Amino acid sequence: MTVSNAATVRIRPSFRLWLEFGAIFVVTPLIMALGLPPAMIWSGLGGMLLVSIVLLSLSDGFSWRSLLTRPIVPDWPGLAAFVAATVAVAVALVFWLRPNAFLFLPRFNVELWLLILCAYPFVSALPQEIVFRALFFGRYGALFPNRHVAIAANAAVFSLAHLFYWNWLAVILTAAGGAIFAWAYQEKGSFPYAWILHAIAGQIIFTTGLGVFFYHGAV
């Protein structure tokens, strides 16, 4: 085998992974934002999850069990600080942008509020963490030159995946949240920790009233 042919062989797997990455984390979110009606958003999200599960299962060296054997909460002070900061930011944003929405669900629709608190960690946060943390870093993390670049890219594609809400606040908050969840997964080495942070963030958002910016038709 010549040197050029050997180089071609080495490049091909990376090129294939970049194609997969672009299709999942760039093209699919753009299709959901620009081409799918609200009633089809759940189908798009479900498709991303299904593809992610298949690709992870086929990835060399990946084990589903490894996601659960890592520390659940490796940083309790960090968790407490995250909760306090998220509550403070959410309350401030609600009073700034939609003061009438403050604590809307707990005050006027307790049943729906409790349903969201119970369902959000499993129906929304867990699937997103599988796609945007487990798949992203487990299959495509090596495409990036270092962890910092990978975390920044993860935050960017996580924000892009929420473009279908079509408001600036959702895009900015999910970029910040994506960076934090990626840090929890990559730097703290814990999928459960990233999942818990994500779940708590969503519960705070819908409790304080900021959830009005995270509603899109059937979602």
Side-chain angles (χ1 to χ4, degrees):
M1 180 181 293
T2 65
V3 174
S4 61
N5 288 338
T8 301
V9 172
R10 289 196 296 270
I11 290 171
R12 281 177 179 171
S14 176
F15 181 69
R16 185 189 72 248
L17 289 177
W18 273 117
L19 288 179
E20 289 180 12
F21 179 89
I24 295 170
F25 294 109
V26 179
V27 175
T28 300
L30 288 176
I31 290 175
M32 289 195 300
L34 302 173
L36 288 183
M40 292 293 293
I41 293 296
W42 275 112
S43 299
L45 295 173
M48 289 183 70
L49 176 61
L50 180 60
V51 170
S52 298
I53 291 173
V54 171
L55 289 175
L56 274 173
S57 300
L58 296 175
S59 297
D60 293 336
F62 176 80
S63 168
W64 288 100
R65 183 177 298 178
S66 68
L67 296 181
L68 302 177
T69 56
R70 298 174 182 180
I72 295 177
V73 180
D75 183 9
W76 285 101
L79 175 61
F82 173 79
V83 171
T86 303
V87 170
V89 170
V91 170
L93 288 172
V94 170
F95 275 109
W96 176 37
L97 300 170
R98 292 285 183 88
N100 293 335
F102 181 64
L103 297 179
F104 183 86
L105 287 177
R107 288 189 295 150
F108 300 110
N109 199 333
V110 176
E111 293 80 5
L112 179 58
W113 175 55
L114 293 176
L115 177 62
I116 290 174
L117 291 184
C118 294
Y120 184 86
F122 303 97
V123 175
S124 184
L126 180 57
Q128 290 183 63
E129 288 307 305
I130 291 174
V131 175
F132 290 96
R133 253 57 70 181
L135 177 67
F136 182 100
F137 289 105
R139 189 170 176 86
Y140 308 108
L143 294 175
F144 300 94
N146 57 61
R147 288 186 172 186
H148 300 296
V149 174
I151 289 174
N154 186 266
V157 298
F158 188 63
S159 176
L160 180 64
H162 293 78
L163 181 63
F164 64 84
Y165 288 120
W166 287 114
N167 67 80
W168 63 270
L169 188 62
V171 172
I172 292 176
L173 290 181
T174 52
I180 293 171
F181 308 149
W183 167 83
Y185 181 87
Q186 189 75 345
E187 298 298 323
K188 292 298 181 178
S190 177
F191 176 83
Y193 190 37
W195 175 25
I196 290 170
L197 292 177
H198 191 163
I200 291 174
Q203 291 170 331
I204 291 172
I205 284 173
F206 285 100
T207 297
T208 58
L210 206 61
V212 295
F213 295 97
F214 290 83
Y215 177 81
H216 185 277
V219 179

